[in-house]
Amino acid sequence: MVTGAAFLVFMLIGVPIGICLCLVSVVYIFASGNPLLFQSFPTQLFGGVDSYGLIAIPLFVLIGEIMNGGGITKRIIEMTMAFIGAMKGGLAYVNLIANMFVASILGSATAQVAVMAQMMVPEMEKKGYDKTFAAGLTAYAGMLGPIIPPSIMFVVYSVLAQVPVGDMLAAGIVPGVLLTIAFCLIIALMGFFYNYPRGERATLRERARTVLNALPTLLIPVIIVGSILSGLANPTEAAAVGAVAAILVGRFWIGELQLSQLPTMLLRAGIYSAVVLFLVAAAGVFSWVLVYGMVPQQVAGWVQAIASDPITFMLLVNVILLVIGTVIDGAPGLIMTVPILLPIATEVYGIDPIHFGVVVVINLVLGFLSPPVGLCFFVAAAVTGAKPGKMFIVTLPFFFVSCLVLVLLSIFPALSTFMIR
């Protein structure tokens, strides 16, 4: 009780979540009356990040920095525009499909929204699209970043759940494609009702030129994802090769990347990675405290009284995580919920931990797009000047279809585990 109260107080006064988890763990040790636990505190803190798989995080972040500075994202957008820009609502499809390609390299929703909103929203507004819709669509398209591999959130989950990082990344492919298809259907319906404009039809020569220009950039996700799925490299090695490939493409093929930019890119990647890794370290201590206090067992007793079968449990988890995701960002949400819910899912209901991880991550990512936090909406708003509240209302169809995909994933585990079985 004292620990829970301390957690609420720390959260309400705005203590950063990583520090909050460490302080709550200290409060629990004091409340337990067992000061000997302090001897294990540093070990548990270090143990939280003592994982080879976590090296992939700074490398994936670095790839994103290089892509942004090297003009790689722009080439992908140009190629997508040449092929589907002439359809009704073509720019909306371009926004979504280009985001899917970029998601296979960046792996971060907020970084992706910041980049794509800056490029796509002004262009869509110029062609007659409502700015609020354009910014909201970009925010939802950014949802693909933490789902389609590589995904920083999947890497964090795999460390928390002790499952192979490669399997976890592969499990995100089918759900990511399902969400993309669902979003395309929503764009088609909205385009019919709102009469979205068509773009200019590209000639065969223009299409060939854009493919030729973008081909080396498309090799980056092929190298990363292909090497992981084929077993030629683990996620960390694939990320390292992908970073080198991004530098070579940006510097020697596109020519926009200057080597003088690399120190700044490395610094930004290091700062962001340090924040994520500190959260993971704090999660190690927090999980240890939860297990010592038998919190998962107590929660399991409550859940079993409500959910009698795995499907009911998964649907209940969806509701719980959607609520949590509205007030807590993705990685902290993982860190707070996985140590409690995963043992119940695997030991009580026999749910595959990889299937469970996909559902948990998508739930928490959807929190990026739900008030009051809605981080992706705020990022899009900062770049475009649109209103976050209006974005949420205009893009409600995307929210509902995301929830439908979540229900399907919860009921049919094969949709998540298809690529690893």
Side-chain angles (χ1 to χ4, degrees):
M1 185 67 73
V2 174
T3 308
F7 180 79
L8 288 175
V9 170
F10 291 140
M11 288 289 289
L12 289 173
I13 63 176
V15 176
I17 186 66
I19 297 174
C20 179
L21 293 175
C22 291
L23 291 177
V24 167
S25 302
V26 170
V27 170
Y28 175 81
I29 293 173
F30 274 117
S32 69
N34 187 0
L36 291 177
L37 292 175
F38 279 116
Q39 296 178 6
S40 300
F41 191 97
T43 304
Q44 297 296 331
L45 192 65
F46 174 77
V49 290
D50 187 20
S51 172
Y52 176 72
L54 287 175
I55 301 175
I57 291 177
L59 290 171
F60 285 142
V61 176
L62 179 60
I63 291 173
E65 291 287 342
I66 295 168
M67 274 188 59
N68 298 342
I72 295 174
T73 305
K74 185 168 65 177
R75 295 296 177 96
I76 293 174
I77 293 173
E78 289 174 354
M79 184 195 68
T80 313
M81 176 75 85
F83 281 88
I84 61 177
M87 298 171 59
K88 180 182 279 293
L91 269 180
Y93 289 110
V94 168
N95 193 341
L96 184 63
I97 302 302
N99 264 286
M100 186 178 72
F101 280 114
V102 174
S104 66
I105 308 173
L106 279 180
S108 167
T110 51
Q112 190 165 324
V113 170
V115 173
M116 298 301 287
Q118 195 171 12
M119 293 185 175
M120 290 303 304
V121 174
E123 190 65 27
M124 291 181 70
E125 193 177 5
K126 193 187 303 179
K127 297 296 183 181
Y129 291 84
D130 176 66
K131 181 169 71 174
T132 302
F133 168 75
L137 172 63
T138 306
Y140 265 94
M143 177 182 175
L144 301 172
I147 299 170
I148 295 178
S151 163
I152 293 172
M153 286 185 66
F154 278 160
V155 173
V156 172
Y157 175 85
S158 67
V159 172
L160 293 174
Q162 296 297 298
V163 297
V165 177
D167 287 353
M168 199 65 233
L169 293 176
I173 295 176
V174 173
V177 172
L178 280 176
L179 278 169
T180 304
I181 294 171
F183 290 170
C184 283
L185 292 175
I186 294 297
I187 291 172
L189 288 173
M190 294 181 74
F192 176 77
F193 285 108
Y194 294 104
N195 194 28
Y196 289 153
R198 296 178 183 271
E200 296 179 5
R201 185 176 297 276
T203 65
L204 188 61
R205 177 174 293 184
E206 288 172 337
R207 292 180 180 182
R209 179 181 57 80
T210 58
V211 171
L212 182 62
N213 287 338
L215 192 59
T217 69
L218 297 180
L219 289 177
I220 299 173
V222 171
I223 290 171
I224 296 172
V225 179
S227 60
I228 294 172
L229 295 181
S230 65
L232 292 175
N234 60 43
T236 303
E237 294 164 347
V241 174
V244 173
I247 292 173
L248 294 176
V249 170
R251 180 70 184 93
F252 298 106
W253 181 264
I254 299 176
E256 292 186 19
L257 179 65
Q258 303 299 319
L259 296 181
S260 59
Q261 296 174 269
L262 286 178
T264 304
M265 292 178 178
L266 288 166
L267 178 62
R268 284 199 298 261
I271 292 171
Y272 180 80
S273 302
V275 172
V276 175
L277 292 174
F278 179 72
L279 284 171
V280 176
V285 177
F286 187 63
S287 302
W288 165 62
V289 165
L290 290 177
V291 171
Y292 188 86
M294 302 185 70
V295 173
Q297 291 87 336
Q298 295 173 25
V299 175
W302 174 77
V303 170
Q304 282 181 283
I306 301 173
S308 57
D309 58 83
I311 292 178
T312 306
F313 170 75
M314 289 299 286
L315 295 177
L316 178 63
V317 166
N318 281 332
V319 174
I320 293 171
L321 291 179
L322 280 174
V323 173
I324 290 174
T326 61
V327 293
I328 298 175
D329 292 342
L334 276 179
I335 289 164
M336 291 171 57
T337 57
V338 169
I340 298 173
L341 295 176
L342 181 63
I344 303 171
T346 55
E347 297 169 16
V348 178
Y349 295 98
I351 295 169
D352 188 305
I354 291 178
H355 167 225
F356 184 73
V358 170
V359 173
V360 169
V361 168
I362 295 177
N363 266 288
L364 292 173
V365 169
L366 198 53
F368 287 158
L369 301 153
S370 306
V373 176
L375 185 59
C376 283
F377 282 149
F378 281 101
V379 171
V383 174
T384 65
K387 302 294 184 183
K390 290 183 177 179
M391 274 190 248
F392 176 72
I393 294 171
V394 169
T395 56
L396 272 176
F398 293 96
F399 178 82
F400 292 132
V401 80
S402 299
C403 291
L404 176 61
V405 171
L406 265 175
V407 171
L408 291 175
L409 290 171
S410 300
I411 296 174
F412 302 106
L415 294 174
S416 304
T417 58
F418 171 76
M419 297 294 293
I420 58 173
R421 293 291 183 261

